[in-house]
Amino acid sequence: MKFKSIAIAAALAFGTVGAFAGGGPITFLDGTAGFSATDAASPGLITDVFTFSLDAQYDTNASAISIKLGRNDWDFKAITLTGPSGPFSFSTVAGSSDALEIWALDVVRLSAGNYTLSVEGYVNGLAKSGSYGGNINISAVPEPESYALMLAGLGAMGFVARRRRSA
């Protein structure tokens, strides 16, 4: 099961590679948005910043991946999502290594507003460049009226079932 999750995260992340270089705005299409960057080797910490806005409250999860390809290697140091509901930090997924790094953000609820996703890391060793990719998924939070309607429907079904049984 864990391998399947990692494979899905890798496929989604690499489907976004090339979407952005070094940061920028994130646009959601059908509840998903990609982010990626390719950075040249430079001394010290590199920070790429991505921004997005939400118009309502959403449940959100995200992942980021970096795979060492030849001499090209990006090593994550921290990934942070800040905004009206943050900050939230991504964590390393079990089984990650220098050759394959996968970081994830479990489901969190974000309020409407402006958000910043900061990806910090290094281009490792003798590498000339390093790249990573990731995605953010959002899904609408049901309104309280939806829960009330669902409970009313369950109550009506229970009433009908009880009536049939007694008849």
Side-chain angles (χ1 to χ4, degrees):
M1 184 66 174
K2 251 193 202 300
F3 177 75
K4 184 178 179 183
S5 299
I6 291 172
I8 290 170
L12 290 172
F14 274 105
T16 66
V17 172
F20 303 105
I26 294 176
T27 303
F28 288 93
L29 299 172
D30 297 326
T32 299
F35 60 93
S36 65
T38 298
D39 293 308
S42 64
L45 184 66
I46 300 169
T47 303
D48 294 323
V49 177
F50 303 91
T51 58
F52 64 93
S53 296
L54 297 177
D55 59 352
Q57 189 176 64
Y58 291 95
D59 284 340
T60 306
N61 69 342
S63 62
I65 185 170
S66 170
I67 297 178
K68 182 177 182 178
L69 298 173
R71 294 178 69 182
N72 295 331
D73 186 19
W74 172 271
D75 289 332
F76 294 115
K77 181 178 186 265
I79 306 174
T80 308
L81 179 62
T82 56
S85 301
F88 300 104
S89 295
F90 284 53
S91 58
T92 305
V93 174
S96 293
S97 67
D98 186 48
L100 172 66
E101 291 187 52
I102 302 174
W103 288 43
L105 175 66
D106 289 331
V107 176
V108 294
R109 186 158 289 170
L110 300 181
S111 302
N114 298 321
Y115 289 86
T116 301
L117 176 67
S118 299
V119 181
E120 299 177 1
Y122 302 90
V123 174
N124 192 19
L126 301 173
K128 294 183 179 180
S129 67
S131 60
Y132 60 87
N135 66 347
I136 300 175
N137 304 301
I138 59 172
S139 59
V141 175
E143 297 290 330
E145 293 84 7
S146 299
Y147 289 118
L149 187 59
M150 179 184 69
L151 289 174
L154 288 173
M157 286 175 47
F159 176 76
V160 169
R162 184 173 182 214
R163 223 173 136 188
R164 282 186 181 173
R165 201 177 303 153
S166 62

